[in-house]
Amino acid sequence: MSEHQGVSQKRWGHLRKVLERPGPFSHPDFEPSSEILDFIMTTCKLLVIGAGGLGCELLKDLALMGFKQIHVIDMDTIELSNLNRQFLFRQEDIGSSKAEVAASFINRKVKGCQVTPHFCKIQDYDETFYRQFHLVVCGLDSIVARRWINGMLISLLNYEDGTLDQTSIIPMIDGGTEGFKGHARVILPGVSACIDCTLDLYPPQITYPLCTIANTPRLPEHCIEYVKIIQWPKENPWGSLIDGDDPQHILWIYEKSLERSTQFNIVGVTYRLVQGVVKNIIPAVASTNAVIAAMCATEVFKLATSCCVPLNNYLVFNDVDGIYTYTFEAEKKENCLACSQIPQTLLIQDPEQMKLKNLLDVFCESAAYQMKNPGLTTYINGKNKTLYISTIKNIEEKTRENLTKTLLELGLQDGSEIMVADLTSPNVLSVRLKFASKNVDT
Ligand SMILES: [Zn+2]
């Protein structure tokens, strides 16, 4: 054996122990073989979405595990505040693309690894791009982006006579962190719960009840919110808008919050906390990212090699106070918007009163849809009709007057089909309106 081969044997020795012999945790279908390591190193193609806190950890973990064909996509550039935890970046990289710098760092440090960067939005690519991967790993901080890629992977599924073609499944491993909390989950599109199946796990931003803020504050955050929501608009010290990046604004809110907290014997109002609350920042914790990324990378390895049974299917992690983890099986939602293939119906209680803008509110505010900027079209007498689209300026102007019309005035009827396009999915959602029948006294 040459010296080089000896080094190579040692370098992958630990993986060989897992891949070339069976063990008590092996997947029932697992057949130990030296070809599995070859598959990881030569054939298996991964996509990492996000090159931030989680993304840096993921790229490092996967590259050191032997994966060589890795693509990374991120639209962001490097900022000074990233450098404490996004360890693939240096001071001189500020302003450069995260994906590009991360890729070149890994390629330089890990021999044989070929990371391909994509400095763009995930929405810039279509299905031909996503279809090339064996697995997709997400290290994202945006629910909209998660839902979009989830929808994309679902749209790649092939059904033959209603049966899912297993070879069309691209598993998605999703990691997320928020301060000292995080999650890792495995999604088999079309088979297990998808992002949209569990939308209620991602509640809209935390808000404190106004009565608590106004009357019974208990937390430093309540005092800051009070100044932000009630005192600022009254006094408008620097105009009506708060600029979270303006130190004068933050200082003013800090001083007023401190006064209020003293009044209620609450401790803990600091300048940093004020900044955090005003800008809605949850501090990123490097160790949480490291743990979640390691869990995700392990799941990638298990799915790519079948050496072990994968996570089923959702793990929560919390190290606020000690370390706590819990695993449960998130369930597929029977009428999921994204993965169910069941036509959606929307019950309209009062079609004579309901205006188009009320319908838009339903798509944005109801827990089941949580859309961002939906555009609506329909068919009337077999012809395509645009109801409202806000994202294209001249169409917005032409359709704005529809917002104040009722559904009946727009020609919509019981059973009408509405096509909804939104940032949260690459696919257009079709929704059938069901008008509630009036109660008739008999
Ligand atoms: Zn689903």
Side-chain angles (χ1 to χ4, degrees):
M1 189 185 288
S2 73
E3 192 191 345
H4 176 75
Q5 279 171 322
V7 170
S8 173
Q9 284 291 335
K10 267 190 189 161
R11 179 172 171 188
W12 306 112
H14 296 291
L15 291 187
R16 289 190 189 281
K17 281 177 192 151
V18 180
L19 298 178
E20 295 177 11
R21 62 193 197 190
F25 298 109
S26 294
H27 192 283
D29 299 335
F30 178 61
E31 285 175 25
S33 150
S34 62
E35 284 166 24
I36 306 173
L37 191 58
D38 291 341
F39 170 73
I40 284 183
M41 295 208 199
T42 56
T43 314
C44 188
K45 210 167 180 182
L46 305 178
L47 175 65
V48 175
I49 302 183
L54 273 174
C56 284
E57 294 277 355
L58 280 168
L59 287 167
K60 173 260 289 170
D61 292 349
L62 295 167
L64 292 175
M65 269 180 152
F67 291 98
K68 292 188 175 171
Q69 306 293 325
I70 306 174
H71 288 237
V72 58
I73 182 165
D74 196 311
M75 62 182 284
D76 283 342
T77 54
I78 297 159
E79 291 178 34
L80 177 66
S81 63
N82 302 147
L83 301 185
N84 69 337
R85 62 193 185 285
Q86 298 177 23
F87 52 84
L88 303 178
F89 312 141
R90 298 291 176 268
Q91 187 112 26
E92 62 269 22
D93 300 323
I94 290 171
S96 303
S97 149
K98 288 188 176 182
E100 288 169 3
V101 174
S104 77
F105 191 107
I106 297 283
N107 292 341
R108 214 166 48 240
K109 288 277 181 185
V110 185
K111 210 176 145 204
C113 194
Q114 295 161 12
V115 183
T116 309
H118 302 272
F119 178 26
C120 60
K121 294 188 209 161
I122 54 173
Q123 291 87 350
D124 291 344
Y125 287 130
D126 63 12
E127 28 180 87
T128 48
F129 174 77
Y130 291 103
R131 209 189 292 278
Q132 65 179 307
F133 299 103
H134 290 95
L135 292 147
V136 173
V137 205
C138 301
L140 287 163
D141 57 4
S142 146
I143 291 160
V144 171
R146 270 195 188 93
R147 289 178 71 186
W148 192 90
I149 186 67
N150 178 68
M152 172 54 78
L153 297 180
I154 288 163
S155 71
L156 296 179
L157 297 174
N158 282 334
Y159 287 87
E160 275 161 35
D161 304 328
T163 318
L164 178 58
D165 170 7
Q166 300 285 322
T167 62
S168 66
I169 300 171
I170 300 177
M172 167 170 161
I173 298 96
D174 178 56
T177 66
E178 218 175 57
F180 289 100
K181 297 173 190 170
H183 76 261
R185 65 186 291 190
V186 171
I187 295 169
L188 300 176
V191 177
S192 61
C194 81
I195 299 282
D196 279 44
C197 287
T198 55
L199 257 195
D200 49 348
L201 293 176
Y202 306 97
Q205 251 167 27
I206 306 168
T207 50
Y208 301 104
L210 196 63
C211 56
T212 306
I213 294 170
N215 305 317
T216 52
R218 294 181 313 278
L219 298 171
E221 287 87 347
H222 294 154
C223 303
I224 302 165
E225 286 284 346
Y226 177 83
V227 178
K228 180 180 150 187
I229 296 170
I230 295 166
Q231 246 174 313
W232 184 286
K234 259 189 211 159
E235 304 186 24
N236 286 328
W238 281 278
S240 59
L241 285 177
I242 299 175
D243 178 357
D245 293 317
D246 186 331
Q248 277 188 309
H249 292 202
I250 300 293
L251 192 62
W252 190 88
I253 299 173
Y254 169 59
E255 284 167 354
K256 298 287 174 187
S257 308
L258 208 55
E259 278 173 30
R260 187 165 170 83
S261 68
T262 315
Q263 209 181 323
F264 286 92
N265 285 319
I266 295 166
V267 290
V269 172
T270 62
Y271 185 86
R272 267 190 86 113
L273 183 68
V274 171
Q275 251 181 334
V277 172
V278 170
K279 294 174 77 174
N280 262 318
I281 298 173
I282 294 160
V285 176
S287 55
T288 314
N289 284 338
V291 170
I292 295 299
M295 288 173 174
C296 291
T298 307
E299 292 308 317
V300 171
F301 185 80
K302 290 182 343 191
L303 285 161
T305 63
S306 296
C307 70
C308 278
V309 179
L311 171 70
N312 184 27
N313 50 34
Y314 200 119
L315 179 143
V316 288
F317 171 81
N318 184 330
D319 61 348
V320 173
D321 194 12
I323 290 181
Y324 173 78
T325 68
Y326 173 69
T327 303
F328 66 97
E329 184 178 349
E331 285 180 18
K332 259 185 112 175
K333 188 173 160 189
E334 200 185 325
N335 61 344
C336 171
L337 293 184
C339 73
S340 74
Q341 302 204 310
I342 289 178
Q344 301 292 321
T345 52
L346 182 64
L347 183 68
I348 306 292
Q349 285 297 350
D350 195 350
E352 279 162 37
Q353 295 297 314
M354 189 170 202
K355 299 195 168 99
L356 189 64
K357 69 173 163 44
N358 307 126
L359 185 62
L360 277 176
D361 288 344
V362 170
F363 288 122
C364 294
E365 287 162 20
S366 83
Y369 295 100
Q370 298 188 38
M371 291 182 170
K372 297 297 154 193
N373 217 345
L376 309 183
T377 57
T378 187
Y379 293 106
I380 287 179
N381 301 326
K383 279 193 189 153
N384 202 312
K385 174 180 167 139
T386 302
L387 295 167
Y388 183 69
I389 292 178
S390 68
T391 47
I392 304 165
K393 191 166 172 273
N394 62 348
I395 300 183
E396 196 281 333
E397 283 165 4
K398 272 186 214 151
T399 55
R400 194 183 300 159
E401 60 178 20
N402 288 345
L403 289 175
T404 50
K405 291 185 186 162
T406 66
L407 301 188
L408 289 181
E409 285 168 344
L410 289 164
L412 295 167
Q413 302 163 349
D414 182 42
S416 286
E417 190 185 5
I418 294 197
M419 273 70 71
V420 192
D422 189 57
L423 292 170
T424 50
S425 173
N427 311 311
V428 173
L429 180 72
S430 157
V431 178
R432 200 165 286 283
L433 300 181
K434 184 171 167 47
F435 287 4
S437 48
K438 285 214 177 105
N439 290 328
V440 182
D441 289 334
T442 48

